[in-house]
Amino acid sequence: MPQGLPTGALEDALLMRAPFWVLVFPLVGFIVLALFGDAMKREGKSNWGGYIASAMALASFACAALSVSRLMTLLPGEQGLRFAQPYLGFEWIDVADFRVPLNLLVDPLSAVMILVVTGIGSLIHIYSIGYMHEDEDRVRFFSYLNLFLFFMLVLVLGGSLPLMFVGWEGVGLCSYLLIGFWYKKQSASDAGKKAFVVNRIGDAGLILGMVMAFTWFGTLDLVELAENAGSKPAEGWLVFGPLTLVALALFVGACGKSAQIPLHVWLPDAMEGPTPVSALIHAATMVTAGVYMVCRLAPIYSQSETAMAVVAGLGCATAVIAATIALVQTDIKKVLAYSTVSQLGYMFLAAGVGAFGVAIFHLVTHAFFKALLFLGSGSVIHAMHHEQDMRKMGGLRKHIPWTHWTFAIGTAAIAGVPFLSGFYSKDAILAAAHHHHHTLLFGLGLATALMTAFYMSRLYFLTFWGEFRGGHEAEHHLHESPWSMVGVLVVLAVGAIFGGYIPIPAIVAPVFRLPIVEEAHDLLVPVLATSAGLLGIAAAWYAYVKQPDLPAKVAASARGLQRVLEAKWGFDLAFDWFSSKVVVAGSDSLLWKRVDAGLIDGAVNGAGSVVDAISRGARGFQTGLVRGYALVIFGGAVLLLSYLLWI
Amino acid sequence: MGASNYLLSLLLLLPLVGAIVIALSPRANVGLQKTLGMAFSLAAFAVSLLLVSGFQPIAEMQFVERYEWIPAYGISFHLGIDGISLWLVILTTFLTPIALLGSWSSIADRVKEFNVFMLLLEVGMLGVFFALDLFVFYIFWEAMLIPMYFLIGIWGHGRRIYAAVKFFLYTMAGSVLMLVAFLVLYKETGAVGFGLAELLQRPVEPGLQFWLFLAFALAFAIKVPMFPFHTWLPDAHVEAPTAGSVILAGVLLKMGGYGFLRLAMPLFPQAAMEMAPWIALLAVIGIVYGALVSLVQPDMKKLVAYSSVSHLGFVMLGVAAFSTTSVTGAVYQMLNHGISTGALFLMVGMLYDRRHTRDIAEFGGLKTVMPWFSALFLMVGLSSIAVPGFNGFVGEFLILVGSWRAFPGYVIVASLGVILAAAYMLWMIQRVLYGEVTNPKNEKLADLTPRELVVLLPLLFLAVYMGIFSPQFTRTIEPSVAALVRDVRAAGAPVHNAAALPAPAPAR
């Protein structure tokens, strides 16, 4: 970026170039695989797809690590934000005062994000080599995976909102392609379409947010927005001042991408995609984009009490409601999906109470343990020959020990067992809610923690403990996954254990440009949080290992609640009804058949008939009788004459 | 630069001469006729590129030519282009050979006449974009109708006669009013002639402006087409041969927006500013209505036709909002629509060539049998629904950003179009490409031929190129637009300040 660098901008030769290479590798991988995928398939070299894509992901990770380590060495010891804005040298859009240069933003926040994306992304690429090795179309799969990586990196590195939006819609597109990867399945292509359309609802909000932000702040550059955030009032028309309107419109986008109520309906369906996709896109990276955006715009959000209340409130509501739905799911991936929705709500809860750094902290630890859990479930599904119903599992710990142990670690981490990663980030969120005296949010957060521990332990016990319920034939085929998959599980398990020791909130704090609040440490929150977690685990153990017939009894006694939860609180029903009965049926029978064909075209054709009828009538005058003509001529002459005389 | 003084005449003459040569060629030699049509249209394209290289990014008319024609009435053959028309000219010369190559094998009957009409159509379209004299404009405007009428009427499908007549009468109804308005204008301004520059010097009194603007606006609104004057479009598209649809959607629909910008708004600035909120209202209704009706179409061509109503609603919203950003976006979006929708019609035509149906329900699972077609179809669809990275997004976003100050409520409603576009496009793509191959007739469909690839790749390349390097186009568009916006706003709002346009009940 030329002319007048903003405060804190670094001019470092390496940081001006290396971030672009982070983007280039996965893009090249996509192009190569897209163009030569057919040839590879023909030559029987489909395995190359996985190798090439993984190599590109790793190369991208290396460049990311290089950039981040460079940035870290340049960070000053004291407080203060340092960042680099590599500029590609030309504008993407440049009309009148609306200008979008192609520039990136490398600061502590995007540094954390690119490490998560490329790091976990690389692991999942490697895992997929094993997971997808029997799929004929795996080259196509890996090309999409590389393309996703590219767009996700554009999203977190883009230096302005429009560039972020390029990544934003790009990852949505890849998500669409990967959910519908097995396109011959109706349910898969349905789910892909639903994901894209629901996301577009959010995107429309995001577009409006950008339009308003540009109108009122005169810029969409992320650094300039952060600097100018205070220039517009948060309140105006009632509580809706420019700042608040921008924040709320953008938050609609965040709700779409990060699956917050009521736009969460696409994420559980997205489990139609191959499991590595669920791990990478629908747990660790893409769905956290909304959290990233809200935190990225913390200088704006933090100045609008209304927007913060909405973010925290909706996040909390999503956390609770999704957790209740997860309690009754029987599909192993659906439990994880609702769990993801719930955990994303947790992150918004953190952001909404002003703990942006903690939100990112939970984003990172969640990326580790949820990727681990999804890949672990993939390993289970792999062993079970694509069976996902937990009621047909059980006792798997003897057959797939590595998967079992790593999965146990992931479960413990998400449940908040002390000294694992989830414990630290979750504790920090609850502490933030507590310190800001949001008693209700704190209470609901605690309840969610309890439910989370319960449903995750339920999943774990149903899958790995007790007796195998899938029949002898299936039991005979149970097998541990290949080393490429198990190895990845082990690496992620290490991350799930130790991820909590990375001081993420301190690293990213300068980005938010907020005064640092000294946090008072009391024992109340960790004790309550730990008790909730352990209680949930114990209850699940009692209900699913000790007394396995208890859940049925409980369900029988609370039939109504059971039904509500199994119907997922009716959100999907409402969406389906609205789209098919109102939008499609209304467009068809009312707009198209009545208004378009009936009214408008009817009027047009009617006008045609009138002309036609007049012509037919006029034809009657041409009788060929000279006397008749003479009469008309005479009459006309009289009329004309009288007219002329009269005026 | 002697030759550049005659570039526009040369561009009109090349296809005209081509049409004459083909008309004189032996009827039996179909190959020669096709080759000649292609050669002349390519030559015109090559010559038009000289316009780009010689064009200065300034507001003034360039490559101006002027010949006295009927001096008694002050009519002269006055040609020129500026930033608004430059790229529309290129779009025309670019799409004509593409459309010819696209129907290389599907038009087997009366090949000679087909090529003649296509080239004559090109002459008409270029003439409209070049004309700086209202009389000349009108001549080309009407001349353009005739070849299109025959293209639909002769090479069209089942209800071609109905569609052709409907197309013709609809457009004629509008243009007759425009002709009357021309004559009134000629009288009112003291019969200085029909030269645009002269007429702009003599503004009409506001009361009359209103009626004249209305007459112009109706003619152009039918052409766009704006809701509720759009019902000729689905019929015309469905019945037209592929090449006709491509040109119709690609270029002819741009004439309306162009007419607003070139004639209606600068000639009647006060009326234009007064009526802008109503135009914006119809535009926004068109965006949502077109998308909703598109959603439920069983016929692929109709679906694309209604989607055009929606897309051109965006264009007209940008025109009505009348800021430099929104109008530049509107002009850019006209180009984008020409490319994406042109490609969509070509691809639907390729399916029609194979299966002789465009019924969505007849297809399904094509991704298995036609992987390359499917990949390209998806990309073209994405460019049409304005996914960033493709051209459509830049235009749409510029329109929305530039329209907010004038019509915030409408911009919010327009954003519904963004959602609905994804719904109708992806639903069609799902039903055509995904799933199992259920219809045995689809099992042996051939993937794209090399000829078809040659037709599609340039369009796809442009869709991506224009999505990433938009300033290479907008920098030449913007100066002319900025001057136009400045002049019209200055002349149009003597009482209040121009920024505060009255809006009819903002639909929040």
Side-chain angles (χ1 to χ4, degrees):
Chain A
M1 286 289 290
Q3 77 241 327
L5 290 164
T7 21
L10 296 163
E11 277 190 287
D12 180 72
L14 186 117
L15 275 182
M16 288 297 158
R17 284 199 309 272
F20 285 112
W21 287 99
V22 176
L23 298 174
V24 165
F25 283 108
L27 182 62
V28 168
F30 161 71
I31 294 171
V32 168
L33 294 183
L35 291 179
F36 303 111
D38 265 16
M40 288 178 194
K41 203 168 152 183
R42 253 197 324 275
E43 305 278 321
K45 298 248 166 62
S46 286
N47 282 337
W48 287 24
Y51 302 148
I52 293 173
S54 302
M56 290 299 162
L58 283 167
S60 177
F61 175 65
C63 292
L66 185 69
S67 310
V68 173
S69 67
R70 182 71 180 180
L71 182 72
M72 290 300 164
T73 58
L74 292 170
L75 284 177
E78 71 276 18
Q79 295 297 332
L81 172 62
R82 309 308 301 273
F83 56 88
Q85 289 177 299
Y87 174 50
L88 199 54
F90 60 95
E91 268 70 42
W92 177 36
I93 303 177
D94 186 6
V95 173
D97 52 351
F98 185 72
R99 185 166 160 274
V100 184
L102 281 172
N103 67 347
L104 308 181
L105 173 59
V106 187
D107 66 357
L109 179 56
S110 50
V112 168
M113 293 302 290
I114 58 174
L115 282 183
V116 170
V117 171
T118 57
I120 292 182
S122 299
L123 289 173
I124 291 173
H125 273 72
I126 295 166
Y127 176 95
S128 304
I129 296 176
Y131 190 83
M132 298 296 286
H133 79 281
E134 280 172 346
D135 196 293
E136 276 195 358
D137 254 353
R138 55 193 181 278
V139 183
R140 186 165 61 89
F141 176 82
F142 281 105
S143 75
Y144 293 164
L145 223 50
N146 260 198
L147 185 66
F148 167 78
L149 215 51
F150 167 74
F151 279 125
M152 190 65 211
L153 290 163
V154 170
L155 196 164
V156 293
L157 279 172
S160 58
L161 281 178
L163 282 183
M164 184 198 278
F165 188 69
V166 173
W168 190 275
E169 282 242 310
V171 290
L173 168 65
C174 295
S175 162
Y176 162 77
L177 293 169
L178 283 163
I179 294 168
F181 178 72
W182 289 307
Y183 61 86
K184 290 180 187 172
K185 254 170 87 185
Q186 179 72 24
S187 56
S189 66
D190 276 346
K193 184 183 63 188
K194 183 171 176 183
F196 198 92
V197 173
V198 174
N199 264 293
R200 271 248 160 167
I201 300 175
D203 294 354
L206 192 49
I207 288 176
L208 289 175
M210 288 195 283
V211 168
M212 290 189 255
F214 179 75
T215 309
W216 289 320
F217 294 106
T219 179
L220 291 178
D221 183 89
L222 292 174
V223 174
E224 289 172 17
L225 274 177
E227 284 172 351
N228 299 345
S231 67
K232 292 288 168 192
E235 312 210 338
W237 186 70
L238 296 179
V239 292
F240 300 107
L243 194 90
T244 303
L245 285 175
V246 168
L248 289 179
L250 293 174
F251 185 60
V252 175
C255 285
K257 191 81 19 194
S258 293
Q260 297 298 289
I261 283 172
L263 299 182
H264 68 287
V265 289
W266 65 272
L267 185 58
D269 289 24
M271 298 301 123
E272 286 289 340
T275 304
V277 172
S278 312
L280 176 60
I281 302 185
H282 305 122
T285 56
M286 182 187 85
V287 288
T288 63
V291 181
Y292 164 77
M293 185 191 67
V294 169
C295 293
R296 167 60 77 200
L297 297 174
I300 289 182
Y301 278 90
S302 58
Q303 292 190 35
S304 166
E305 272 182 39
T306 313
M308 290 294 270
V310 170
V311 171
L314 201 67
C316 185
T318 306
V320 175
I321 289 176
T324 60
I325 299 173
L327 293 173
V328 298
Q329 295 297 310
T330 52
D331 181 316
I332 187 167
K333 283 180 75 181
K334 288 274 165 86
V335 178
L336 292 175
Y338 279 105
S339 164
T340 304
V341 174
S342 172
Q343 296 297 307
L344 290 164
Y346 237 77
M347 295 174 208
F348 281 113
L349 168 61
V353 296
F356 296 100
V358 173
I360 297 295
F361 187 28
H362 196 57
L363 186 160
V364 173
T365 60
H366 177 258
F368 280 115
F369 58 68
K370 192 51 75 60
L372 170 62
L373 289 169
F374 262 117
L375 294 184
S377 78
S379 184
V380 168
I381 294 164
H382 194 252
M384 296 283 301
H385 285 274
H386 299 286
E387 179 55 63
Q388 298 184 190
D389 192 338
M390 293 188 296
R391 289 170 297 192
K392 295 185 181 145
M393 299 176 184
L396 292 183
R397 69 184 192 281
K398 287 165 268 178
H399 301 278
I400 45 174
W402 284 95
T403 306
H404 165 244
W405 279 112
T406 50
F407 204 96
I409 292 169
T411 307
I414 191 175
V417 170
F419 313 118
L420 301 182
S421 61
F423 167 74
Y424 292 100
S425 54
K426 198 178 280 189
D427 179 56
I429 292 174
L430 290 172
H434 182 66
H435 289 311
H436 290 82
H437 306 291
H438 295 293
T439 316
L440 179 66
L441 296 180
F442 175 70
L444 289 172
L446 207 57
T448 306
L450 175 70
M451 285 191 279
T452 308
F454 180 81
Y455 68 68
M456 281 309 303
S457 307
R458 166 180 175 262
L459 185 162
Y460 167 73
F461 289 127
L462 276 177
T463 308
F464 292 100
W465 291 70
E467 292 300 315
F468 186 72
R469 296 178 295 272
H472 280 298
E473 179 65 19
E475 186 167 19
H476 189 66
H477 288 291
L478 288 174
H479 57 282
E480 183 60 286
S481 299
W483 273 107
S484 64
M485 289 163 69
V486 174
V488 168
L489 294 180
V490 171
V491 175
L492 284 171
V494 171
I497 296 172
F498 298 106
Y501 297 100
I502 313 169
I504 301 274
I507 294 172
V508 296
V511 174
F512 310 126
R513 299 171 193 250
L514 294 171
I516 302 293
V517 195
E518 267 316 308
E519 286 184 28
H521 287 277
D522 56 25
L523 267 174
L524 177 72
V525 175
V527 166
L528 281 177
T530 307
S531 318
L534 294 179
L535 184 65
I537 296 174
W541 175 80
Y542 185 77
Y544 292 95
V545 180
K546 192 82 187 355
Q547 295 283 337
D549 43 352
L550 185 64
K553 285 183 199 155
V554 174
S557 64
R559 201 77 221 120
L561 183 65
Q562 170 91 358
R563 266 204 206 121
V564 170
L565 295 184
E566 275 173 357
K568 306 162 206 164
W569 295 92
F571 286 104
D572 291 77
L573 291 173
F575 254 91
D576 290 347
W577 175 81
F578 183 73
S579 56
S580 67
K581 290 287 181 303
V582 178
V583 178
V584 172
S587 302
D588 186 61
S589 62
L590 182 68
L591 290 186
W592 182 33
K593 299 206 170 117
R594 299 247 167 81
V595 176
D596 216 61
L599 200 68
I600 302 176
D601 233 19
V604 170
N605 289 335
S609 324
V610 169
V611 173
D612 193 55
I614 291 174
S615 317
R616 278 172 205 282
R619 202 165 56 186
F621 291 119
Q622 291 180 325
T623 51
L625 294 173
V626 181
R627 272 178 305 172
Y629 290 167
L631 187 68
V632 171
I633 291 169
F634 177 72
V638 169
L639 278 175
L640 197 67
L641 202 65
S642 49
Y643 174 72
L644 286 174
L645 290 174
W646 185 61
I647 55 168
Chain B
M1 290 290 283
S4 74
N5 294 339
Y6 306 104
L7 265 183
L8 299 189
S9 314
L10 183 61
L11 261 177
L12 288 178
L13 281 174
L14 261 175
L16 184 64
V17 170
I20 294 168
V21 170
I22 295 170
L24 296 174
S25 70
R27 171 161 293 282
N29 199 341
V30 172
L32 177 70
Q33 289 150 8
K34 285 186 193 173
T35 316
L36 281 174
M38 184 51 79
F40 275 98
S41 64
L42 278 178
F45 177 58
V47 170
S48 71
L49 289 181
L50 294 177
L51 297 178
V52 177
S53 64
F55 194 86
Q56 305 295 317
I58 50 172
E60 278 69 39
M61 284 291 165
Q62 299 175 47
F63 304 99
V64 175
E65 295 176 42
R66 184 168 199 165
Y67 312 100
E68 288 302 317
W69 190 10
I70 313 175
Y73 294 99
I75 294 168
S76 58
F77 199 72
H78 192 179
L79 309 177
I81 56 169
D82 66 355
I84 297 171
S85 46
L86 170 71
W87 294 106
L88 290 167
V89 168
I90 306 297
L91 182 70
T92 309
T93 57
F94 171 71
L95 282 181
T96 304
I98 296 258
L100 283 175
L101 189 63
S103 32
W104 198 255
S105 54
S106 53
I107 299 288
D109 179 41
R110 304 190 203 204
V111 175
K112 181 170 162 174
E113 286 84 349
F114 178 76
N115 280 280
V116 169
F117 283 132
M118 285 292 285
L119 289 177
L120 287 179
L121 186 60
E122 188 177 10
V123 177
M125 297 186 293
L126 290 175
V128 170
F129 292 133
F130 291 163
L132 296 183
D133 182 288
L134 260 56
F135 192 80
V136 177
F137 181 91
Y138 188 76
I139 298 280
F140 281 117
W141 181 270
E142 294 294 329
M144 194 170 69
L145 279 184
I146 297 159
M148 185 48 88
Y149 171 78
F150 285 115
L151 282 173
I152 298 174
I154 297 177
W155 293 275
H157 307 295
R159 296 168 71 216
R160 57 179 180 266
I161 301 297
Y162 170 76
V165 171
K166 194 171 180 180
F167 163 76
F168 196 83
L169 290 183
Y170 237 116
T171 340
M172 273 301 282
S175 37
V176 165
L177 279 177
M178 183 167 72
L179 179 65
V180 173
F182 277 175
L183 298 176
V184 174
L185 188 65
Y186 174 76
K187 279 201 69 159
E188 281 299 310
T189 51
V192 286
F194 289 88
L196 185 57
E198 289 81 14
L199 291 174
L200 285 176
Q201 303 297 319
R202 295 160 190 261
V204 189
E205 55 97 9
L208 186 64
Q209 269 198 27
F210 175 79
W211 293 106
L212 294 181
F213 180 80
L214 213 58
F216 275 57
L218 187 68
F220 298 141
I222 288 173
K223 206 74 177 175
V224 167
M226 293 184 74
F227 175 90
F229 310 107
H230 64 277
T231 57
W232 62 271
L233 184 74
D235 284 317
H237 268 310
V238 168
E239 304 307 331
T242 300
S245 287
V246 171
I247 298 295
L248 190 60
V251 186
L252 257 60
L253 299 192
K254 311 299 139 49
M255 299 294 179
Y258 177 76
F260 271 105
L261 292 175
R262 177 65 79 226
L263 300 182
M265 303 196 105
L267 281 174
F268 317 112
Q270 281 159 302
M273 291 296 98
E274 198 181 316
M275 300 286 285
W278 297 102
I279 297 175
L281 177 66
L282 288 185
V284 170
I285 293 176
I287 292 173
V288 177
Y289 179 90
L292 283 173
V293 177
S294 176
L295 192 63
V296 293
Q297 294 306 310
D299 180 304
M300 277 191 256
K301 256 190 161 179
K302 271 204 171 172
L303 189 149
V304 180
Y306 278 107
S307 85
S308 291
V309 175
S310 182
H311 287 146
L312 289 156
F314 274 101
V315 170
M316 289 313 296
L317 176 65
V319 168
F322 216 65
S323 69
T324 304
T325 311
S326 75
V327 176
T328 306
V331 174
Y332 200 56
Q333 194 63 353
M334 291 192 211
L335 306 173
N336 297 333
H337 177 262
I339 287 164
S340 316
T341 308
L344 274 175
F345 277 126
L346 282 164
M347 297 198 82
V348 174
M350 289 168 189
L351 284 184
Y352 186 84
D353 289 346
R354 286 167 173 72
R355 284 288 324 278
H356 296 284
T357 177
R358 292 174 309 259
D359 208 347
I360 295 173
E362 284 282 317
F363 296 96
L366 293 194
K367 192 170 168 61
T368 312
V369 283
M370 303 171 74
W372 284 103
F373 174 89
S374 304
L376 263 56
F377 197 54
L378 177 67
M379 286 170 78
V380 169
L382 293 173
S383 104
S384 170
I385 65 171
V387 169
F390 289 103
N391 50 359
F393 176 73
V394 178
E396 225 171 80
F397 197 56
L398 285 172
I399 289 169
L400 294 177
V401 165
S403 305
W404 177 267
R405 278 195 191 281
F407 308 116
Y410 293 163
V411 169
I412 292 173
V413 179
S415 71
L416 288 179
V418 173
I419 303 165
L420 293 171
Y424 65 68
M425 189 57 71
L426 293 185
W427 194 22
M428 172 177 81
I429 283 173
Q430 180 191 25
R431 285 175 292 167
V432 173
L433 302 185
Y434 302 147
E436 298 279 358
V437 183
T438 44
N439 190 330
K441 287 180 195 157
N442 294 330
E443 273 165 12
K444 295 268 186 305
L445 290 184
D447 210 342
L448 294 175
T449 65
R451 174 184 63 83
E452 289 168 331
L453 267 179
V454 172
V455 172
L456 293 175
L457 286 180
L459 290 164
L460 206 58
F461 170 78
L462 271 181
V464 174
Y465 189 86
M466 292 177 72
I468 301 175
F469 302 102
S470 69
Q472 298 200 7
F473 301 86
T474 52
R475 276 185 191 142
T476 42
I477 299 172
E478 190 189 327
S480 303
V481 170
L484 176 75
V485 168
R486 188 194 58 222
D487 293 348
V488 172
R489 279 197 179 276
V495 193
H496 308 290
N497 74 5
L501 285 173
R508 270 175 201 272

